[in-house]
Structure formats: structure tokens, C-alpha cells
């Protein structure tokens, strides 16, 4: 077995801690169950009562976080948009698109973090949250606070604020603050102005200038020396605050480290340090400074935390390591899945490691999407993620979507639509079957029928049609007429269903007094064998009113056919699978019916022959 | 399997945090032997030495007792939910040699069938893939495996495989349904010809694979030998669309094996040792997407395993019994006082 980086995470489940018991478990669709048990099956268990609790455990509980929900929703939109970026786009325009995607993700993350700042949160992003709180939200709040007060320079946090602004490189604002101090305090006015000037004149690399790096370097050196000179000359000697600020601007490590609390973490320390000592640092050298910043900041008092490892890997541009560290540190696949996907689109994964390339992307997306399926509505986002996983996305979706509880008809329809759009016929069939059977059990035959039609399940359609027919025999009328009347081509799904549809049509024709058409249809149902034998008696009985009309409806030929059917039915000839025919002979009521039919048929035959034989024709 | 292509130390194959999201007080008066979630994760069935089977509604973190089913005369070892298309149906098996099938009708749970064809404790029940119909396999200490098939109108047909395992059968697990041939234009009303298979594990230290022949009889298709003591559990992994089949088996000998068969080649099953534990391994179970195997050990733990790039199985999480309050990702040895 290969070496592992560390021990697997251990989760402790509370319970009676007896050395004789074990843990029983099983998987649910999105969770696990564990409970205490004793596998050594004996008839008599120990007298000590067991622990009666079942624990339901789950990964990715973040999926239920209200705040993250917005993040999931919005990032889903960005994700789908990214997948659809034109493949033909190359070079600059493609790059521009990708950068935009990255910015979109970042703004969504930021929005989420700002919202988290408003609310008490859980463990996720705790460290970054601290940073945001201090560096964005709190600072701005503090700034407003101080500026808004009656006498800003007397505010207790005045110097703290100025220091933070300098640490963050927000020199313009820092200068503004200093000018307030200068205005109100003649003794320090001069010093403030000088420091303010230094702040104003610090050379910075601004985009769009034609300045080269070397030129900047040179200018910066001069500026740096000027600051140094002031320090040496003791310009700020009478103000410890100002002197400290000057040292910070010189990138003095000791001075920076004094502000540990305001810096809050080593990467801020890194940035400030670089800003004021190596402003033209090259990306390649970044990780040197990162490592030393980390070491200096921690000062041997504490060890790096997982988030630190992520950043260190990032500074080394080791994408693989970043992804790995993220997977370990973060409790949820969201970040690493979207990041890897973006990197893959930028073709960065492949260039870094030929081994896995986009397979890594798929693996992470599958993990993330699976997590979404644990949520009663976020699962819909998961569908899209699976769609963009070419290898295992489809089968994963198939397995997950079948487990969505079909608590409402609306939800069922939604699930079905998704399956139908993707030609997941097995799942459609299975889901429709579940709904159809539920409908049958609740005696909602119309609903059952529509589900079986949607599932294209002939066997089930037959079953439901039989129920309809049985109901008709018992009650003398149909339920769900609308549905049966509008079957259309679906009628062809099964013979029994066709019969049901046609039989209903017969009733409709009769209702519209289109007796001749009704009569023909009725007869054809028997002669074409569409009607099940067991139903013939009912059909023949339905023919009675047509036989007893004043006008002759059934022709002689048709009457002969009907007679043949009746004799067929009552002859006692063994018809396989139809025991009813046999029973007919023994039943008194049936005998009477048969007699009536014979009489009616005979009379009709007579009238028909006469009618057809006479001059007017048939 | 896709996971094989991950790099050596890929993400996700090392650390997984889990949290307790719900605790269900079953109020069982004796040891619990099995707990099973239904298909959708909305209901929980439990069974116990107190001879009862209980069903709870656990939606939205709640726990409502729906049914307290009595009928067994001995400890109940396992429960199994049938596929929802057949309604709400639960099977249970017990030391009392009976298998009972319970069904929910009009909102109440009742016994719908009792199978008494075994001479000894029935240890395991498992429903076949729903595509085959409503079929239940039962493994018993009398060494036999019985298969109950619902034929309609409350009738169940029984087929029995006697002496499936000498001394006793401890576990049964069905292979996922694989639709043979193409699905194009199946004639309506006709059922596709599935090849039904299941695996069983027994006190003869063997894992056996069974196949239904065309005449409807069950025949032993394969013997998988690798364990040196009683096989306690077998679990056939769900299908993820790849041509390989995978079975996990665990035994009194402390070993867990992963058996794979490359279906293209036919019937060659090769075992790979997942891990050798220090004690009896009682239970193995696959997650629904088959990418994680949970293994219960005699040492009070449940470990979760995933396959990595070079085909090695890596433990990604450890669920352990312990005292005190619930905590996540606590390193071994630390325990919080409640």
C-alpha cells in the first residue's frame, strides 16, 4: 500500500463505549447510517441494554448552508457559461473570456464572504473571513467612523487606522488622514507634511505607462534612499507614530512584525513586505518571499495551517499541489471543483501534468455534483455539472436522479423532463412506473394510465386498462373520460388500451346517435379480436339497444356475425386462457341474457332481410 | 473505474469529513442489528433483538415512528426495502427461521407474507433489481438459499437452493441488472431477457455466484476462493456503466477482498486484498454510485475506502465509536467531554 500523507479523518460517534459492541452501518442515497450493535449473533444478547440510537451522518453538510446556497446558484451560472464558451475562440478573445470568468467567480466569492460577515458562520473560510473583515469591511467601517467623528485625530483608533492604511498600501487615504493631523497640530504639521509627501511620491507600477521595470526600479531606489535619509536625520524622531510609519514604508521587517496584530496573517505581511522592499518582484521569486514571510510571521510559535499550505502551493504555481491542499483543507468540493474546471479550460492542467489532465476536473466535478444531490432543490444545479462530465457524468446522473423523492407531482414532472431531455429511457420508465403504481393504489386510474403511457410501458397500460374496464362493468360508467377520449396515437401502446379507447368511442358514437357507426365499431371490436373474450358478453349486451331500435341498424351480414360471436362464446369450446366462457353456461342470469340476445338477433335478422330484400335496398 | 486514473496522491482519496445530521431514537429495547434507509432516504427501518421491526419517517431531520411491527419470535437480523415501484414493502429475516414481508396498505403497515421454508436462522435478505420483478433472496444457517418471487394476487413462488453453503449461508447480494442486447425497439409488452445473478457468502469460506438458467433453475456459476474463514458478508457493487463487475467480500479471517471480472473476457474473477484487519470483518457496503466502500470492523470502527490511480485501495475516512459530544475530524485519541 502506498504512503499516505496523513491519517484519514476520524469522526467519533457518541454512544455507549463498551468494548464488546461494534458499529453497524449502511448507505442511504445521500448519507450513512450507523448504530451500535453486536455482530456476533446469539439468540440471547447480553442483559446490558444496547444503545437505541441510529446516527445519520453525511459529508458535505455545507450544502445546507443558507449563505452558500447563493454561492452555489451563482457559480452554477458562471460554470455553465464557461462550458459554452466557443471552442473556436482562440488567443486574445478566448483569454479575455476566461479572465472574465475568473473575475465573475471572484466577485461571487466576495459577495458571499461579505454576506457571511453579516452573519455568524461555521468553519468554512474562517481565515479568509478574518482577513476580509479586517481588510475590507472593518477598515472601511473604521475609516468612516473616524472621519465621521468630531475630532478625527483625537479618535482612539486614529493611528491604528493610518497604520492599517499604510500596511495596505492605501497611501492616498493615509495621507488624507495625516493632513488632518497636520491641520490641527502645529508641532507635528511639518513632519506630517514630509511623510505625506513621501507617500505621494512613492513610485508605483501603474498599468498603461510606458515606463519599464528598470526605470521604475531606479526611481524607487531613489525614493527609498530619501526615506532612509529622513529616518537617519531623525526627521520623525519626536513622533513615534510617524517614525514607525516611515520604517514600514522602508520595508523594515522588525517594524512590520511589530504590527502583527494589524496584519493578522502572513500573506498580508508578505504583500506589505514586497510592496515596500521588492516592488518589482518577479513571479518566479514569489515563493521565496512567501516561505520566508510565513516563517518570519509565525516566528516558530505556531505551525502552518491547511490554508497556508494552499497559498504556499499557489505561490509556487504548483497547480497540482494547490488542488490537493484544497481538497484536504476545505470541507466542500465547491472551490476546488470550479477552480480545476477553469484551469482546465485555460489548458493549464494538461500543460502541468500529462498524467491526468481533464480527468481530474471530472473527478472533482462529480464529487461536487454528488454533494448537491443531497439537497432537496440544489440537486437541479447538479444536473448541469453532470452533463459536462463526459465520462461518468451520465451514469452518475442516472444513479442519483432516480433517488430524488417524488414528493409532489410538480417535482416528478421536473425530474421526468430532465430524464426525457437526455433520453434516459430506463429512468423515465422506472419513475413513471413508480408513479403509475402509486396512482393505481390510490385508485386514480386516469393518472395511472397517463403515467404508463408516458413510460411507454405496454404491460402496465394493459393492467390499468383492465382496471378501467372492470370498473365500467361494476359501475356502468367510465372514470376519466377526458383522458380516454384524447388518447390519440398513444392508444396503440397496448391492445387492451386500444380496446379501451375504441370502446369508449363506441359509447360516444351511441351518445351522438350515430347508431350505424357505433354498431359497426362494436362488431369490429369482436371480429378483429381486439376485445378480450371476457368482455364479449358485455359488448353483446351493449348491442341489445341497437338491435331493438325501431329502425334496422345491424345489417343481415352483421347480424350473422353477431350470432356467430354469441355461439362462439356459448358453445363451450375451450378457449385457452379464458375460463369465463366456460362459466357462462352454468350461470342462470347469463343464460337469460343469452336467450334475450338470441331472440333480439333473430328478430333483427328477420327485419334486416326484409329491409334489404325490398325495393329501397339496404 | 474512473478513479484509477487519478494521480498517486489525488484529491479526495485521503480526507473526508462527515457530520452527524440526525440522531434517531429507536427506543428498541435490545440490540439493534440492522438499519436501512429506503430508496429516497425519507424512511428508516430498523430491527432488533427485541423481535421488532420499526419504521421511522426521517425527512427534514425529524423522526416520526410510523410502524412498530411485531411478528418475529426471535432476534431480527436484517431488513431490506423493495424498490418503490412496488409500493412500500419491507422484508425482514430472523433467528426464528422466518422471513416476513411487510407492506403498507392504505397508510398502515401489515404483514403480507410469511416464509417458513428454512430449518434454521435466516441471516440475510436482499431484493433483486426491480427490473426482474419482485424477487427476494434469503440466506440461512441451514445452508440453503431461497428465492421468493411475487406472482400476483398475494402469491409468492418459492425456489430453494439446498446446500448452497455447507454449515450455513451468511449473506446474499444481487448483481445489478444488465440489459442484454440492444434496447432499440423492444416489442411492446415483452420483457427483455435478463441474466439474473447473485452472490452469496457462507461458512464454507467461499463466495459463490449463482445464475438463473433458461429453465428457471438456479445454478452455481462460480466459486470464489480466497478467504480462510467464514465469509460474513458480500456486496455486489452497483453498475456505473463500465464493463467490469465488482464484488466485495469480508470474512472472519479479517480480510476484505475486492473481486473484479472483466466481462469482456468472460468468467475470470480476480481478488485484490483491500486490507487485513486485526479482527473479524462483519459488514461491507457500497455507496450508491459505487465509488466508496464502507467496511465495518470488529475494532469498533467503520472505515471508508476508495480506489486510487494505481488500483490501490485507500482509506479516506474513519468513523469511530466514542464517548462524549459529537465532533468532526477529531484526530484519534482525542475525545471531548460532553
Amino acid at each position: 500500500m502506498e504512503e499516505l500523507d496523513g491519517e484519514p479523518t476520524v469522526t467519533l460517534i457518541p454512544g455507549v463505549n463498551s468494548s464488546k459492541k461494534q458499529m453497524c452501518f449502511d448507505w442511504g442515497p445521500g448519507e450513512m447510517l450507523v448504530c451500535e450493535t453486536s455482530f456476533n449473533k446469539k439468540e440471547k444478547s447480553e442483559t446490558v441494554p444496547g444503545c437505541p440510537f441510529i446516527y445519520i451522518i453525511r459529508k458535505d453538510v455545507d450544502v445546507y448552508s443558507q449563505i452558500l446556497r447563493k454561492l452555489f446558484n451563482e457559480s452554477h451560472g458562471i460554470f455553465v457559461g464557461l462550458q459554452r464558451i466557443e471552442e473556436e475562440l482562440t488567443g486574445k478573445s478566448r483569454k479575455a473570456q476566461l479572465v472574465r470568468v475568473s473575475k465573475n467567480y471572484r466577485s461571487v466569492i466576495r459577495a458571499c464572504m461579505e454576506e457571511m460577515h453579516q452573519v455568524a458562520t461555521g468553519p468554512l473560510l474562517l481565515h479568509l473571513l478574518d482577513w476580509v473583515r479586517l481588510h475590507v469591511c472593518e477598515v472601511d467601517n473604521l475609516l468612516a467612523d473616524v472621519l465621521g467623528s468630531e475630532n478625527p485625530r483625537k479618535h482612539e483608533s486614529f493611528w491604528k487606522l493610518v497604520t492599517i492604511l499604510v500596511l495596505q498600501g492605501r497611501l492616498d487615504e493615509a495621507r488624507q488622514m495625516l493632513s488632518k493631523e497636520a491641520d490641527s497640530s502645529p508641532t507635528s504639521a511639518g513632519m506630517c507634511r514630509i511623510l505625506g509627501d513621501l507617500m505621494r511620491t512613492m513610485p508605483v507600477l501603474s498599468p498603461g505607462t510606458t515606463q519599464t521595470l528598470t526605470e521604475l526600479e531606479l526611481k524607487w531606489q531613489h525614493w527609498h534612499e530619501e526615506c532612509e535619509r529622513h529616518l537617519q536625520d531623525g526627521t520623525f524622531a519626536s513622533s513615534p507614530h510617524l517614525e514607525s510609519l516611515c520604517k514600514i514604508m522602508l520595508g523594515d521587517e522588525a517594524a512590520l512584525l511589530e504590527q502583527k496584530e494589524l496584519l493578522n496573517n502572513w500573506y498580508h505581511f508578505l504583500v506589505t513586505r514586497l510592496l515596500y522592499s521588492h516592488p518589482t518582484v518577479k513571479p518566479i521569486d514569489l515563493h521565496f518571499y512567501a516561505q520566508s514571510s510565513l516563517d518570519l510571521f509565525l516566528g516558530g510559535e505556531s505551525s502552518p495551517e491547511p490554508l497556508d499550505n494552499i497559498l504556499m502551493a499557489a505561490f509556487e504555481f504548483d497547480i497540482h499541489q494547490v488542488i490537493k491542499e484544497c481538497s484536504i483543507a476545505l470541507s466542500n468540493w465547491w472551490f476546488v471543483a470550479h477552480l480545476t474546471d477553469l484551469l482546465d479550460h485555460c489548458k493549464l492542467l494538461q500543460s502541468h501534468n500529462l498524467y491526468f489532465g481533464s480527468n481530474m476536473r471530472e473527478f472533482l466535478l462529480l464529487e461536487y455534483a454528488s454533494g448537491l444531490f443531497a439537497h432537496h432543490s440544489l440537486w437541479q444545479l447538479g444536473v448541469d455539472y453532470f452533463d459536462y462530465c463526459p465520462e461518468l457524468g451520465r451514469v452518475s446522473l442516472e444513479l442519483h436522479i432516480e433517488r430524488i423523492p417524488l414528493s409532489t407531482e410538480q417535482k416528478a414532472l421536473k425530474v421526468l423532463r430532465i430524464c426525457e431531455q437526455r433520453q434516459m429511457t430506463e429512468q423515465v420508465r422506472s419513475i413513471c412506473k413508480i408513479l403509475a403504481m402509486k396512482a393505481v393504489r390510490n385508485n386514480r386510474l386516469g393518472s395511472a394510465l397517463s403515467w404508463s403511457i408516458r413510460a411507454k410501458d405496454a404491460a402496465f397500460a394493459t393492467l390499468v386498462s383492465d382496471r378501467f374496464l372492470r370498473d365500467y362493468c361494476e359501475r356502468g360508467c367510465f372514470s376519466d373520460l377526458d383522458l380516454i377520449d384524447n388518447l390519440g396515437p398513444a392508444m396503440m401502446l397496448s391492445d387492451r388500451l386500444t380496446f379501451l379507447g375504441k370502446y369508449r368511442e363506441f359509447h360516444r358514437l351511441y351518445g351522438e346517435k350515430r347508431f350505424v357507426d357505433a354498431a359497426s365499431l362494436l362488431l369490429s371490436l369482436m371480429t378483429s379480436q381486439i376485445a378480450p373474450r371476457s368482455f364479449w358478453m358485455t359488448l353483446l349486451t351493449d348491442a341489445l339497444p341497437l338491435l331493438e331500435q325501431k329502425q334496422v341498424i345491424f345489417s343481415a351480414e352483421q347480424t350473422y356475425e353477431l350470432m356467430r360471436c354469441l355461439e362462439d362464446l356459448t358453445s363451450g369450446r375451450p378457449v385457452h386462457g379464458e375460463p369465463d366462457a366456460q362459466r357462462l353456461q352454468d350461470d342462470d342470469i347469463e343464460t337469460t341474457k343469452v336467450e334475450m340476445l338470441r331472440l333480439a338477433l333473430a328478430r333483427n335478422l328477420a327485419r334486416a332481410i326484409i329491409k334489404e330484400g325490398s325495393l329501397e335496398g339496404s | 473505474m474512473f478513479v484509477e486514473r487519478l494521480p498517486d496522491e489525488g484529491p479526495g482519496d485521503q480526507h473526508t469529513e462527515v457530520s452527524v445530521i440526525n440522531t434517531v431514537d429507536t427506543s428498541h429495547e435490545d440490540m439493534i442489528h440492522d438499519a436501512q434507509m429506503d430508496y429516497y432516504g425519507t424512511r428508516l427501518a430498523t430491527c432488533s433483538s427485541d423481535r421488532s421491526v420499526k419504521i421511522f419517517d426521517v425527512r427534514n431531520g425529524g423522526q416520526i415512528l410510523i410502524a412498530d411491527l411485531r411478528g418475529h419470535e426471535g432476534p431480527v437480523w436484517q431488513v431490506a426495502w423493495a424498490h418503490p415501484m412496488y409500493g412500500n414493502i419491507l422484508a425482514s429475516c430472523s433467528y426464528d427461521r422466518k422471513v416476513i414481508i411487510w407492506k403498507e396498505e392504505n397508510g398502515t403497515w401489515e404483514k403480507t407474507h410469511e416464509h417458513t421454508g428454512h430449518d434454521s436462522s435466516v441471516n440475510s435478505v436482499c431484493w433483486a433489481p426491480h427490473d426482474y420483478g419482485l424477487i427476494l433472496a434469503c440466506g440461512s444457517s441451514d445452508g440453503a438459499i431461497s428465492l421468493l418471487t411475487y406472482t400476483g394476487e398475494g402469491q409468492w413462488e418459492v425456489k430453494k437452493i439446498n446446500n448452497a453453503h455447507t454449515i450455513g449461508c451468511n449473506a446474499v447480494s444481487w448483481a445489478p441488472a444488465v440489459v442484454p442486447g440492444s434496447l432499440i425497439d423492444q416489442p411492446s409488452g415483452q420483457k427483455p431477457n435478463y441474466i439474473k445473478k447473485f452472490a452469496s457468502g457462507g461458512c464454507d469460506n467461499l463466495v459463490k455466484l449463482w445464475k438463473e438458467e433458461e429453465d428457471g433453475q438456479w445454478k452455481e456459476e462460480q466459486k470464489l476462493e480466497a478467504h480462510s474463514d467464514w465469509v460474513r458478508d458480500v456486496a455486489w457493487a452497483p453498475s456505473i456503466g463500465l464493463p467490469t463487475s465488482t464484488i466485495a467480500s469480508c470474512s472472519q479471517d479479517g480480510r476484505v477482498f475486492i473481486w473484479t471480472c472483466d466481462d469482456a473476457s468472460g468468467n475470470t474473477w480476480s481478488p485484490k486484498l483491500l486490507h487485513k484487519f486485526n479482527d473479524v470483518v462483519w459488514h461491507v457496503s457500497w455507496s450508491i454510485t459505487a465509488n466508496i466502500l464502507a467496511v465495518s470492523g470488529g475494532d469498533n470502527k467503520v472505515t471508508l475506502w476508495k480506489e486510487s490511480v494505481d488500483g490501490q485501495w485507500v482509506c479516506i475516512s474513519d468513523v469511530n465509536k466514542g464517548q462524549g459530544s459529537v465532533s468532526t475530524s477529531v484526530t484519534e485519541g482525542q475525545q471531548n467531554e460532553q
Side-chain angles (χ1 to χ4, degrees):
Chain A
M1 189 119 75
E2 55 182 54
E3 290 287 312
L4 296 179
D5 265 16
E7 288 303 302
T9 321
V10 175
T11 306
L12 293 176
I13 306 294
V16 176
N17 195 4
S18 160
S19 54
K20 283 190 186 162
K21 307 288 195 301
Q22 288 110 24
M23 270 212 293
C24 166
F25 66 91
D26 251 297
W27 290 98
E31 59 279 292
M32 262 187 95
L33 310 170
V34 290
C35 68
E36 184 186 271
T37 192
S38 171
F39 284 113
N40 211 345
K41 294 161 176 166
K42 303 195 240 311
E43 195 203 343
K44 285 262 184 288
S45 54
E46 287 103 25
T47 48
V48 176
C51 173
F53 295 108
I54 309 278
Y55 300 95
I56 302 178
I57 61 179
R58 177 177 273 162
K59 298 192 302 176
D60 292 348
V61 290
D62 292 333
V63 77
Y64 281 94
S65 156
Q66 281 289 52
I67 294 172
L68 291 182
R69 187 169 176 155
K70 200 163 163 209
L71 178 71
F72 294 147
N73 269 307
E74 298 192 348
S75 58
H76 164 260
I78 302 172
F79 171 83
V80 173
L82 173 59
Q83 309 310 309
R84 292 180 183 159
I85 284 182
E86 298 293 320
E87 276 305 315
E88 300 99 65
L89 278 184
T90 50
K92 276 214 173 97
S93 54
R94 185 184 168 83
K95 186 172 174 189
Q97 290 255 37
L98 292 169
V99 170
R100 198 173 321 135
V101 169
S102 173
K103 287 201 168 133
N104 286 340
Y105 274 134
R106 275 150 52 194
S107 73
V108 159
I109 293 176
R110 176 158 167 159
C112 177
M113 295 206 292
E114 283 182 9
E115 200 175 319
M116 278 171 137
H117 167 66
Q118 315 290 336
V119 182
T121 69
L124 182 68
L125 292 180
L126 211 51
H127 296 120
L128 286 177
L129 178 61
D130 277 342
W131 191 14
V132 171
R133 187 162 53 227
L134 188 63
H135 291 71
V136 180
C137 309
E138 234 178 63
V139 175
D140 287 340
N141 286 343
L142 192 56
L143 188 59
D145 218 19
V146 170
L147 287 176
S149 70
E150 279 222 15
N151 201 348
R153 56 177 285 267
K154 286 283 188 248
H155 197 288
E156 56 178 0
S157 300
F158 179 80
W159 286 109
K160 174 178 166 189
L161 180 61
V162 179
T163 312
I164 292 176
L165 291 170
V166 172
L167 289 170
Q168 289 188 1
R170 291 161 75 169
L171 295 177
D172 286 337
E173 286 162 285
R175 222 180 75 225
Q176 262 183 350
M177 302 294 291
L178 281 185
S179 69
K180 291 220 185 306
E181 167 76 4
D183 287 342
S184 22
S185 163
T187 41
S188 51
M191 289 188 289
C192 287
R193 294 221 166 83
I194 294 175
L195 192 60
D197 271 346
L198 288 174
M199 288 177 179
R200 185 176 51 84
T201 57
M202 180 172 113
V204 286
L205 187 66
S206 43
T209 57
T210 50
Q211 201 181 57
T212 66
L213 226 53
T214 328
E215 283 172 4
L216 176 69
E217 181 91 49
L218 216 56
K219 283 193 183 156
W220 186 82
Q221 275 294 91
H222 280 143
W223 175 85
H224 189 92
E225 279 159 15
E226 198 185 336
C227 293
E228 186 74 51
R229 236 191 339 270
H230 278 292
L231 196 65
Q232 297 299 331
D233 293 346
T235 315
F236 309 110
S238 51
S239 168
H241 285 300
L242 293 175
E243 191 162 80
S244 164
L245 287 176
C246 183
K247 282 186 182 163
I248 290 172
M249 284 160 65
L250 281 168
D252 182 296
E253 272 171 22
L256 285 174
L257 286 170
E258 259 169 49
Q259 307 299 334
K260 242 187 186 170
E261 201 187 295
L262 295 182
L263 286 168
N264 192 248
N265 53 55
W266 66 271
Y267 28 96
H268 188 198
F269 172 59
L270 166 68
V271 172
T272 306
R273 193 180 158 212
L274 289 174
L275 176 65
Y276 294 121
S277 57
H278 306 281
T280 56
V281 66
K282 295 189 183 53
I284 270 182
D285 301 326
L286 205 52
H287 77 276
F288 272 138
Y289 294 110
Q291 188 62 60
S292 62
S293 298
L294 175 63
D295 294 335
L296 279 169
F297 195 84
L298 293 178
E301 283 166 14
S302 47
S303 37
E305 296 189 11
L307 192 62
D308 299 331
N309 295 334
I310 296 173
L311 288 170
M312 282 306 300
F315 285 130
E316 286 164 28
F317 294 96
D318 187 343
I319 292 179
H320 175 197
Q321 193 68 13
V322 167
I323 293 172
K324 183 185 161 208
E325 296 286 350
C326 282
S327 306
I328 294 173
L330 301 174
S331 63
N332 165 306
W333 295 105
W334 179 86
F335 179 73
V336 76
H338 287 87
L339 174 67
T340 310
D341 174 59
L342 183 55
L343 290 172
D344 187 53
H345 274 88
C346 299
K347 311 268 187 267
L348 283 173
L349 283 186
Q350 288 152 0
S351 61
H352 267 74
N353 196 323
L354 303 164
Y355 211 12
F356 48 89
S358 55
N359 290 340
M360 163 94 91
R361 167 189 170 275
E362 177 156 329
F363 172 79
L364 294 169
L365 287 174
L366 289 173
E367 288 286 335
Y368 174 63
S370 298
L372 287 174
F373 266 84
H375 190 276
H376 61 85
S377 68
L378 285 178
W379 63 269
Q380 295 168 76
L381 302 179
V383 174
D384 285 317
Y385 287 96
F386 280 135
D387 279 346
Y388 289 108
C389 291
E391 304 239 7
L392 289 175
R394 189 187 168 85
V395 68
S396 300
L397 179 57
E398 285 172 0
L399 287 168
H400 277 105
I401 205 152
E402 275 193 302
R403 303 284 184 143
I404 308 248
L406 307 169
S407 40
T408 61
E409 172 131 340
Q410 224 179 4
K411 202 166 183 187
L413 288 171
K414 203 179 275 188
V415 172
L416 275 175
R417 220 180 356 255
I418 291 172
C419 293
E420 282 164 353
Q421 278 167 356
R422 290 157 179 77
Q423 281 97 45
M424 292 180 172
T425 43
E426 284 305 310
Q427 280 65 36
V428 170
R429 204 169 285 150
S430 165
I431 292 169
C432 286
K433 191 97 184 268
I434 293 172
L435 294 165
M437 296 220 56
K438 198 155 119 185
V440 167
R441 283 194 296 274
N442 292 330
N443 227 21
R444 291 179 291 119
L445 296 181
S447 186
L449 191 58
S450 16
W451 287 123
S452 39
I453 290 173
R454 191 161 180 167
K456 299 199 184 27
D457 189 329
F460 204 72
T462 303
L463 201 141
V464 181
S465 305
D466 268 336
R467 279 285 293 269
F468 265 109
L469 293 166
R470 212 165 62 209
D471 267 12
Y472 169 78
C473 285
E474 283 167 20
R475 299 185 311 179
C477 63
F478 284 110
S479 55
D480 301 285
L481 283 177
D482 259 344
L483 176 66
I484 306 173
D485 283 345
N486 294 307
L487 283 174
M491 211 190 292
M492 296 308 161
L493 182 61
S494 97
D495 279 351
R496 197 54 49 85
L497 184 59
T498 313
F499 170 64
L500 178 66
K502 291 284 173 200
Y503 185 54
R504 165 63 198 148
E505 197 183 321
F506 161 74
H507 281 274
R508 236 193 11 253
L509 289 170
Y510 189 95
E512 290 168 14
K513 300 209 189 303
R514 292 165 56 188
F515 296 128
V516 177
D517 291 332
S520 301
L521 179 55
L522 186 66
L523 184 56
S524 71
L525 287 178
M526 282 184 282
T527 53
S528 64
Q529 305 289 332
I530 280 190
R533 209 83 177 203
S534 51
F535 215 76
W536 281 19
M537 205 53 210
T538 312
L539 291 174
L540 288 166
T541 316
D542 283 335
L544 264 175
L546 291 169
L547 291 166
E548 301 189 337
Q549 292 274 337
K550 270 221 181 78
Q551 47 177 151
V552 174
I553 298 171
F554 284 104
S555 72
E557 169 110 26
Q558 287 177 323
T559 314
Y560 278 127
E561 284 290 333
L562 284 170
M563 286 168 146
R564 218 169 287 138
C565 290
L566 182 58
E567 292 320 308
D568 218 350
L569 202 54
T570 58
S571 68
R573 234 180 308 162
V575 181
H576 74 106
E578 301 281 1
D580 297 346
Q582 196 64 41
R583 254 191 316 168
L584 272 176
Q585 294 194 313
D586 312 322
D587 203 351
D588 263 348
I589 299 176
E590 290 305 309
T591 322
T592 318
K593 247 199 233 170
V594 170
E595 289 307 317
M596 274 175 64
L597 273 167
R598 285 204 178 113
L599 183 59
L601 284 165
R603 283 214 299 260
N604 191 72
L605 184 60
R607 292 193 299 158
I609 289 174
I610 293 174
K611 181 179 170 203
E612 284 161 34
S614 54
L615 279 171
E616 299 88 77
S618 56
Chain B
M1 208 168 160
F2 170 75
V3 179
E4 287 172 4
R5 279 178 251 153
L6 275 186
D8 282 358
E9 295 159 329
D13 61 6
Q14 294 196 32
H15 292 254
T16 302
E17 286 184 25
V18 294
S19 321
V20 174
I21 60 169
N22 195 1
T23 303
V24 178
D25 181 356
T26 63
S27 302
H28 273 299
E29 290 155 2
D30 208 331
M31 187 74 66
I32 298 173
H33 291 291
D34 198 14
Q36 293 281 331
M37 216 51 138
D38 76 344
Y39 197 70
Y40 298 119
T42 49
R43 287 184 171 180
L44 171 66
T46 61
C47 61
S48 158
S49 273
D50 70 4
R51 306 173 174 195
S52 73
V53 172
K54 296 195 186 186
I55 301 177
F56 299 85
D57 180 325
V58 291
R59 277 175 297 185
N60 302 321
Q63 40 176 297
I64 304 168
L65 178 67
I66 297 173
D68 186 340
L69 306 170
R70 308 274 164 167
H72 281 295
E73 289 151 348
V76 188
W77 301 130
Q78 272 194 15
V79 284
W81 289 95
H83 191 273
M85 78 164 59
Y86 298 108
N88 288 326
I89 297 181
L90 186 71
S92 62
C93 63
S94 158
Y95 180 84
D96 69 358
R97 298 173 280 159
K98 289 197 285 201
V99 172
I100 298 182
I101 298 174
W102 314 85
K103 190 171 168 150
E104 190 183 28
E105 292 276 22
N106 305 321
T108 44
W109 281 87
E110 286 156 2
K111 185 195 313 199
T112 182
H113 184 69
E114 195 173 280
H115 172 60
T116 49
H118 284 286
D119 307 321
S120 202
S121 168
V122 184
N123 302 319
S124 177
V125 278
C126 183
W127 291 101
H130 67 91
D131 319 64
Y132 301 165
L134 197 54
I135 306 178
L136 184 71
C138 323
S140 164
S141 288
D142 65 5
I145 296 173
S146 53
L147 293 131
L148 312 179
T149 306
Y150 185 65
T151 50
E153 315 274 322
Q155 299 302 312
W156 293 79
E157 178 192 274
V158 181
K159 286 194 191 136
K160 199 167 176 196
I161 305 172
N162 284 307
N163 294 316
H165 292 273
T166 47
I167 308 176
C169 172
N170 295 322
V172 284
S173 172
W174 287 87
V178 173
V179 183
S182 77
L183 273 174
I184 306 167
D185 293 328
Q186 285 277 356
S188 71
Q190 273 194 28
K191 280 201 165 172
N193 288 327
Y194 292 103
I195 303 170
K196 302 185 189 126
K197 291 192 192 184
F198 70 89
S200 65
C203 302
D204 50 8
N205 308 349
L206 295 173
V207 173
K208 289 192 182 182
L209 305 185
W210 305 87
K211 181 170 142 176
E212 193 191 41
E213 302 279 276
E214 283 184 16
D215 61 356
Q217 294 308 308
W218 287 87
K219 200 181 92 153
E220 180 188 305
E221 193 196 34
Q222 288 268 317
K223 260 201 230 332
L224 305 181
E225 293 187 62
H227 288 292
S228 54
D229 206 335
W230 292 13
V231 175
R232 280 291 169 190
D233 202 7
V234 288
W236 206 311
S239 163
I240 50 163
L242 296 178
T244 44
S245 296
T246 308
I247 298 176
S249 67
C250 65
S251 156
Q252 204 96 5
D253 67 8
R255 290 188 180 82
V256 176
F257 281 102
I258 309 289
W259 304 83
T260 47
C261 171
D262 176 4
D263 288 358
S265 75
N267 293 319
T268 332
W269 289 84
S270 355
K272 179 185 296 181
L273 179 69
L274 174 85
H275 190 61
K276 163 94 176 49
F277 292 82
N278 295 326
D279 202 342
V280 179
V281 184
W282 296 98
H283 188 29
V284 285
S285 179
W286 294 97
S287 63
I288 59 157
T289 45
N291 59 352
I292 306 181
L293 179 68
V295 179
S296 176
D299 47 353
N300 301 338
K301 281 203 268 200
V302 177
T303 43
L304 305 179
W305 300 78
K306 236 180 179 166
E307 194 178 10
S308 72
V309 63
D310 49 0
Q312 294 298 325
W313 284 85
V314 182
C315 181
I316 60 168
S317 191
D318 226 312
V319 181
N320 212 330
K321 277 171 61 295
Q323 276 174 335
S325 60
V326 175
S327 47
T328 55
S329 56
V330 173
T331 54
E332 266 185 293
Q334 268 182 13
Q335 283 183 347
N336 296 328
E337 290 304 321
Q338 192 145 30

